[in-house]
């Protein structure tokens, strides 16, 4: 494909910043559609990192993370190439939907194929144009609609030391070690032997300033670790060690009804603790939602209207849950716009 060569040749033009519009299937209105890519080349050669967002079209925190990253002054000293793809699922982004027009999930359609479904074709395009030209990757996600995720890194760290190094460098308070066999971009990239992180933070269709700030800092920290940006002169205030979750489980609604959630995201909970109460609209037939394990709430629903069996609270188990809870608090305090000592370059999104 000529476009593959195009991105490769662009990536070889030192010191240049170039936008490329990758053509993707047009709308049935005949309107042309493209996937926007921004390639930033350092003056010196080095790793080629792709950073992608909105594979799920309604997950918008990552789009803002990439915007801030591209404005960052530290890119001036870049070594290597940054390939930024802020809106991978252009169709879903326009429709404010997780899915593609064919109702498939792009992140379950990798590595895709040239003649497959629409999702398979887009996945294939991304593999050919972006992944084939990259040495490392970071994919940015949020929870699904009405679901909020505590900032966390998901990566296969057990068998991949290079990935583990980057996962630690990112600096999110929690790492979920996961081996995936789900047709995700992460699986396809990993099978190519390319280290890749997935950052999960916040909720679909919402901006979350802490998740965004933490994400920008995390990507920059990974670029420093890779030698793409020079290391910080003074060691950052906290170079916290993230906590690796041993396992995680969802606590589900015991009955349909209206949920009064009692445990916020990031809270430390003990097995058997009441996380919320589900009742009918008359306030009768109350049922308690109890923690099925001790750990930290790393994901939860924000919608109080629940059906029996629905996933309500995601609890991760840790060897040292109290220390993990402290790391979460420190992370939230560090990126909280209200506790900022230095004025930000632009106003925070609230
Ligand atoms: Zn997602």
């Amino acid at each position: 494909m000529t476009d593959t060569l195009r991105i490769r040749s662009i990536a070889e033009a030192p010191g240049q910043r170039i936008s490329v519009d990758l053509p993707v299937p047009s709308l049935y209105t005949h309107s042309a559609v493209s996937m926007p890519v921004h390639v930033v080349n350092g003056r010196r050669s080095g790793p080629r990192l792709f950073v992608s967002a909105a594979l799920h079209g309604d997950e918008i925190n990552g789009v803002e993370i990439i915007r801030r990253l591209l404005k960052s002054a530290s890119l001036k000293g870049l070594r290597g190439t940054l390939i930024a793809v802020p809106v991978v699922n252009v169709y879903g982004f326009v429709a404010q939907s997780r899915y593609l027009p064919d109702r498939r999930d792009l992140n379950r359609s990798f590595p895709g194929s040239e003649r497959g479904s629409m999702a398979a074709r887009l996945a294939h395009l991304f593999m050919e144009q972006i992944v084939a030209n990259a040495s490392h990757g970071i994919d940015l996600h949020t929870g699904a609609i009405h679901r909020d995720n505590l900032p966390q890194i998901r990566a296969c760290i057990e068998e991949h030391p290079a990935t583990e190094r980057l996962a630690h460098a990112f600096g999110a308070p929690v790492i979920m070690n996961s081996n995936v066999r789900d047709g995700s971009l992460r699986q396809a990239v990993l099978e190519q032997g390319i280290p890749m992180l997935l950052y999960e933070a916040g909720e679909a269709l919402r901006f979350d300033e802490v998740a965004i700030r933490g994400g920008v800092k995390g990507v920059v920290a990974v670029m420093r670790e890779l030698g793409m940006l020079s290391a910080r002169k003074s060691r950052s205030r906290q170079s916290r060690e993230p906590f690796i979750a041993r396992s995680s489980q969802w606590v589900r609604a015991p009955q349909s009804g209206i949920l009064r959630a009692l445990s916020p995201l990031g809270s430390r909970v003990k097995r058997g603790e009441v996380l919320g109460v589900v009742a009918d609209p008359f306030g009768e037939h109350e049922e308690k939602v109890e923690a099925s394990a001790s750990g930290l709430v790393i994901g939860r629903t924000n919608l109080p209207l629940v059906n029996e069996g629905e996933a309500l609270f995601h609890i991760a188990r840790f060897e040292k849950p109290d220390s993990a809870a402290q790391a979460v608090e420190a992370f939230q305090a560090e990126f909280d716009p209200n506790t900022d000592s230095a004025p930000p370059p632009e106003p925070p999104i609230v």
Side-chain angles (χ1 to χ4, degrees), residues 242-258:
F243 286 82
I244 300 164
R246 293 160 61 197
S247 64
S248 72
Q249 51 193 263
W250 278 95
V251 180
R252 296 181 176 278
Q255 64 175 4
S256 300
I258 297 165

Side-chain angles (χ1 to χ4, degrees), residues 273-297:
E273 188 177 324
V274 178
L275 306 177
V277 180
V278 180
D280 67 23
F282 306 109
E284 292 172 354
H285 301 113
E286 289 207 342
E287 283 231 35
K288 289 174 182 148
V289 182
E290 289 175 359
S292 51
S294 296
L296 245 62
V297 177

Side-chain angles (χ1 to χ4, degrees), residues 55-56 58-59 98 107 140-144 200:
L55 257 87
H56 291 134
D58 59 354
E59 300 182 1
R98 177 182 180 88
N107 211 25
L140 306 170
H141 285 256
T142 75
E200 274 280 355

